[in-house]
Amino acid sequence: TELVDEITGRATRSGDLATGRVDHTATRLNDGRVLIVGGAVSGTQVADTLEIWTPATGRFRTVTAKMAMPRAGHSATLLADGRVLIVGGYTSAALARYRLAEIFDPQTETLTPVAAANNDPRWSHAAHLLNDGSVVVLGGARPDPANAEREIVLATAMRFIPATAFLDHLARWAAAARTWHPRWAASS
């Protein structure tokens, strides 16, 4: 792992992940640590593990708690209270079904399942924290029930409200389905 100085562009080495991974998330926590969630680790193997990078030591350590199911292609959104909402993702080449969402609490380093209106798979979506503290989850893809090798691109949205700890569907939000949303897109 390398840190890049924004001004000079110079990269310096800073520790290695315990498990190499791609299609994972890295979320900066309120205390400056960085949470690494899931990801594909080799071939069709997907991780159910989390790691935390600590800036003071420049090292990663594996969190004891594991997710309910492995995930890659998911989102991990820092909530206003410092917890992290982890939504969706795929589990393997077979795109098996799994629990839709979990919340990671960095204080206790535990995971809690999130109640949802249904258990629809969703990956390669965008998730944005809104000014009211809720999170909107937009688009993405899910497996085609008729052919597990194909995916259906979604034109739907979900909303997580921390006070109720419930993830629910919103109305169809786009004229065209979308996937691979830039996670930095401005919300309107």
Side-chain angles (χ1 to χ4, degrees):
T1 304
E2 295 179 335
L3 298 175
V4 178
D5 184 305
E6 293 179 29
I7 297 169
T8 66
R10 187 173 27 176
T12 54
R13 192 146 171 76
S14 180
D16 291 322
L17 289 161
T19 303
R21 51 189 86 209
V22 298
D23 216 4
H24 58 284
T25 55
T27 306
R28 185 181 181 279
L29 303 173
N30 287 339
D31 62 8
R33 297 179 300 160
V34 177
L35 175 68
I36 308 298
V37 177
V41 293
S42 68
T44 60
Q45 185 181 0
V46 176
D48 61 355
T49 57
L50 301 96
E51 296 185 40
I52 293 180
W53 178 77
T54 304
T57 64
R59 295 180 187 236
F60 289 90
R61 68 173 175 77
T62 303
V63 173
T64 304
K66 292 185 183 234
M67 292 182 286
M69 296 293 287
R71 333 174 164 254
H74 53 280
S75 61
T77 307
L78 183 66
L79 301 174
D81 65 6
R83 297 177 302 155
V84 179
L85 175 67
I86 303 166
V87 176
Y90 59 86
T91 61
S92 71
L95 302 174
R97 289 189 179 268
Y98 52 90
R99 187 177 306 279
L100 182 65
E102 299 176 80
I103 292 180
F104 175 74
D105 185 332
Q107 298 301 314
T108 61
E109 294 191 2
T110 56
L111 289 152
T112 305
V114 170
N118 60 38
N119 203 28
D120 287 340
R122 179 181 297 255
W123 62 85
S124 299
H125 55 275
H128 299 283
L129 180 66
L130 302 179
N131 289 338
D132 66 1
S134 68
V135 176
V136 65
V137 178
L138 304 165
R142 68 173 176 82
D144 183 339
N147 180 350
E149 298 298 316
R150 294 181 49 198
E151 60 184 38
I152 295 171
V153 177
L154 302 171
T156 59
M158 300 183 84
R159 188 170 189 178
F160 173 77
I161 300 172
T164 62
F166 189 76
L167 187 62
D168 203 359
H169 280 276
L170 294 173
R172 183 178 171 91
W173 64 278
R178 299 176 183 165
T179 187
W180 295 105
H181 298 279
R183 289 191 168 90
W184 47 263
S187 49
S188 52

